Amino acid sequence: MDISAAALTKRYGPLAALDALDLEVQGARVMALIGPSGGGKSTLLRAIGGLELPTSGALAVNGVDPSGKDGGLSWRRRNGFLFQQFNLFPHLTAYRNVTLPLEKVHGHAPEKAKSLADESIERFGLAAHAHKLPAQLSGGQQQRVGLARAIAHRPEILILDEPTSALDPEMTAEVLELIGELATGGQRIILSTHEMGFARAVADQIALIAAGKVAEHGTAAGVLESPREEITQRFLSKVMRFA
Amino acid sequence: MSARPGAQRLLLEAAVGLLLVTFVCALFWWVFANLDTAWEWSRAWDYRAHLLDGWGRTLWISLLALPGSCLVAGLLVAGSRTKLRTVSWFTRGFVELVRGMPLLTLVLIGYYVVFAQKSVSEFFHLDGPEGKIAAGIALLSIFTAAYLSEILRGGLDSIPQGQIDSARAVGFDRVQVFRYVIFPQALRRVLPALAGQFVTLVKDSSLLSVIGIMEFTYGARTYNSATYGGIEGFIMLGIGYLLITLPIAGFAHWMERRFRYTM
Ligand SMILES: Nc1ncnc2c1ncn2[C@@H]1O[C@H](COP(=O)(O)OP(=O)(O)OP(=O)(O)O)[C@@H](O)[C@H]1O
Ligand SMILES: [Mg+2]
């Protein structure tokens, strides 16, 4: 997975959520974004996922401009996305949440959509909950369904924005385990997380995003164990204090 | 906690229910016993064709104005949500204009000014009594649509941005985001308000008598003046409207239960 951002900027009024951000990533399997709250991780992920049109600058992911020609639609269809929460459509069952995009976006016949959905639902141990509505599922189950939906069409890149930060520790563990399995299976992933131990375990590259810029970027071991930048050192000592 | 809260609760419900029924019956008895007008159900029976005719016309007007108002409301919502500012302002202005007028005024202006134009009435083939009814249905549809469109717009605006993000993230295009995610959720949220508006439509149809449409209220009034009839005319009027409005309300409640998704 290659990511190339040059002077990437996203403004919300006077505020620059991404402030002339530069990033060169080559051959990453799992890329983790860490950093202080409000630093711009979500904004960068939304730009990478083709959900947000940058104000200026250039961005290419695997050689593609994510919000290119059709406003990012075809890029979004190629990839999978999971947010912190409220991913599922509350008026549809867990099962329908997975099959509807397979039918309407990826053009699979209902039978084919069903078999693809069954595959990812069973893989995540959700068969017993498939016919429930999201409101009848626990937070962890909801995220697992969201994950099942995000990978059902075999995405090129799976983009996860703090997938566990709305969950309690037990549910966090069950979701992280699944993400770890996907990574082991070869799924290319880019995620933001506050779980440093998890980032260390699954990511091969890590970037620390602060104030709309990349403060430090390198291998997971390098950034987490021997950070070069002072801002990274301060951030890590803060988040590790109670770890 | 008692060992069998279910049985106790049932007893309480029965007792309170009995009390309420007794109270309502007593009230009715007291009210009607004090009236000096006599019941004249035999005259009502003689005029049954006339009354049923009016009721049927009200039913038909309602049944046609209902989808008509939905259609116009759909256009108004689409108009108010287009990116073209002039169109959305124009649409919202129109909605406010219609909502700011009593239906009576709208019907009078609509019928005696707009549909009175020869070109308009000829274009829509509106001469004759059927034409009058068609004009009435159109006016009632437009009036109701103004309210429906505001209810729908509120419902659509209430869908959180997160749902729209998720829908875009799974790859839905603009139309699909609306069709599969925003609209179904919005519709369920506003169903009770929509049902109320449909019931209002049925009742509002009584105002079409001002342009000489012989609907149910008109029928009951002519019955009363022709027979010097008593209150039985009004009683029938009440029951007649309930026969149309209660099924609408019942259907809406059924839909609400059927499509509930919040626990
Ligand atoms: N839609 C928006 N409108 C206005 N400001 C926004 C919007 N989205 C993000 N921002 C601002 O942009 C900045 C970066 O936000 P972003 O969500 O990318 O941070 P983050 O690193 O993901 O933080 P967190 O760890 O809390 O999720 C913040 O100051 C935020 O308030
Ligand atoms: Mg964020």
Side-chain angles (χ1 to χ4, degrees):
Chain A
M1 178 169 64
D2 304 334
I3 303 168
S4 163
L8 190 66
T9 301
K10 175 70 193 183
R11 289 188 174 283
Y12 293 109
L15 179 113
L18 298 179
D19 188 6
L21 176 144
D22 294 309
L23 178 66
E24 282 297 331
V25 174
Q26 254 142 40
R29 292 176 42 253
V30 176
M31 167 95 201
L33 307 180
I34 61 170
S37 184
K41 300 181 295 296
S42 297
T43 310
L44 179 56
L45 286 177
R46 292 170 62 86
I48 288 172
L51 282 167
E52 203 87 71
L53 187 66
T55 313
S56 64
L59 177 65
V61 183
N62 287 351
V64 178
D65 176 2
S67 49
K69 44 176 181 7
D70 51 3
L73 183 64
S74 59
W75 179 248
R76 290 195 293 273
R77 292 181 164 182
R78 261 162 77 174
N79 299 302
F81 219 115
L82 185 70
F83 303 98
Q84 186 173 341
Q85 53 184 342
F86 308 125
N87 289 281
L88 301 181
F89 306 129
H91 60 300
L92 303 177
T93 63
Y95 198 69
R96 196 65 184 136
N97 262 278
V98 181
T99 54
L100 188 67
L102 287 172
E103 288 174 22
K104 307 298 176 191
V105 173
H106 304 286
H108 294 300
E111 299 77 48
K112 171 79 174 161
K114 278 205 177 88
S115 74
L116 283 172
D118 285 335
E119 197 180 301
S120 66
I121 279 173
E122 260 156 46
R123 177 169 183 184
F124 291 168
L126 290 162
H129 308 294
H131 293 283
K132 292 183 184 171
L133 290 167
Q136 297 165 314
L137 297 172
S138 76
Q141 290 164 345
Q142 289 181 28
Q143 284 306 71
R144 275 151 60 197
V145 174
L147 210 49
R149 185 178 70 187
I151 61 146
H153 61 286
R154 313 224 162 90
E156 183 174 325
I157 301 175
L158 183 59
I159 301 165
L160 311 170
D161 189 6
E162 296 190 27
T164 61
S165 58
L167 304 179
D168 69 30
E170 196 183 346
M171 296 196 279
T172 297
E174 81 189 17
V175 171
L176 290 184
E177 199 167 314
L178 289 179
I179 297 171
E181 277 171 28
L182 290 171
T184 313
Q187 175 70 55
R188 297 293 184 259
I189 299 174
I190 170 162
L191 78 160
S192 72
T193 183
H194 289 294
E195 305 280 339
M196 295 306 141
F198 176 70
R200 178 75 182 88
V202 301
D204 50 355
Q205 296 194 32
I206 288 186
L208 184 125
I209 314 284
K213 288 181 162 56
V214 176
E216 182 163 355
H217 168 220
T219 63
V223 173
L224 292 178
E225 279 151 31
S226 45
R228 281 173 281 118
E229 305 292 330
E230 200 200 323
I231 182 170
T232 317
Q233 293 161 5
R234 264 190 286 132
F235 175 73
L236 289 176
S237 74
K238 230 189 261 170
V239 298
M240 295 304 197
R241 191 172 301 161
F242 299 109
Chain B
M1 277 305 251
S2 120
R4 294 178 58 201
Q8 273 193 1
R9 186 53 176 265
L10 220 64
L11 213 66
L12 183 70
E13 297 278 9
V16 173
L18 203 68
L19 216 67
L20 285 173
V21 170
T22 316
F23 174 73
V24 170
C25 288
L27 192 70
F28 267 67
W29 182 81
W30 181 77
V31 166
F32 287 105
N34 281 315
L35 287 174
D36 346 314
T37 40
W39 298 98
E40 284 287 358
W41 291 108
S42 62
R43 270 189 306 203
W45 179 248
D46 294 339
Y47 274 82
R48 64 188 180 276
H50 171 77
L51 289 165
L52 207 62
D53 192 49
W55 185 80
R57 204 159 285 132
T58 287
L59 182 67
W60 267 114
I61 291 172
S62 305
L63 284 180
L64 290 173
L66 225 127
S69 64
C70 292
L71 195 80
V72 178
L75 292 176
L76 291 176
V77 170
S80 73
R81 285 172 70 88
T82 55
K83 289 232 164 85
L84 225 60
R85 289 264 184 82
T86 38
V87 173
S88 75
W89 284 341
F90 183 83
T91 316
R92 286 184 192 190
F94 178 79
V95 167
E96 290 312 328
L97 217 73
V98 171
R99 291 204 314 161
M101 255 192 287
L103 176 58
L104 186 64
T105 317
L106 184 82
V107 168
L108 290 173
I109 293 177
Y111 188 70
Y112 289 110
V113 179
V114 181
F115 286 111
Q117 306 292 323
K118 260 240 150 27
S119 52
V120 175
S121 65
E122 268 168 21
F123 181 78
F124 289 110
H125 302 287
L126 288 183
D127 12 298
E130 282 81 31
K132 206 178 252 187
I133 292 179
I137 290 172
L139 290 166
L140 191 58
S141 297
I142 292 170
F143 183 76
T144 305
Y147 290 86
L148 291 179
S149 73
E150 282 297 285
I151 293 172
L152 282 170
R153 198 168 64 83
L156 294 173
D157 287 346
S158 78
I159 302 305
Q161 182 61 33
Q163 280 294 301
I164 299 166
D165 280 340
S166 282
R168 293 178 66 225
V170 299
F172 286 144
D173 63 31
R174 279 170 54 92
V175 174
Q176 291 175 322
V177 169
F178 184 81
R179 174 166 171 203
Y180 297 121
V181 179
I182 301 178
F183 185 70
Q185 292 185 49
L187 190 63
R188 280 162 226 206
R189 289 186 186 199
V190 300
L191 210 57
L194 290 183
Q197 205 56 56
F198 290 142
V199 167
T200 302
L201 177 150
V202 175
K203 297 183 292 180
D204 279 350
S205 69
S206 62
L207 276 173
L208 294 180
S209 55
V210 295
I211 53 171
I213 294 177
M214 291 179 218
E215 43 67 59
F216 193 33
T217 304
Y218 191 104
R221 279 221 306 267
T222 51
Y223 159 78
N224 269 17
S225 51
T227 61
Y228 304 104
I231 44 178
E232 68 276 358
F234 301 129
I235 301 284
M236 284 187 295
L237 202 54
I239 294 171
Y241 277 107
L242 285 172
L243 281 177
I244 307 177
T245 55
L246 287 183
I248 294 178
F251 180 68
H253 286 308
W254 177 81
M255 291 266 287
E256 255 177 80
R257 276 197 308 278
R258 168 77 181 69
F259 292 111
R260 187 196 312 268
Y261 62 83
T262 47
M263 300 297 135

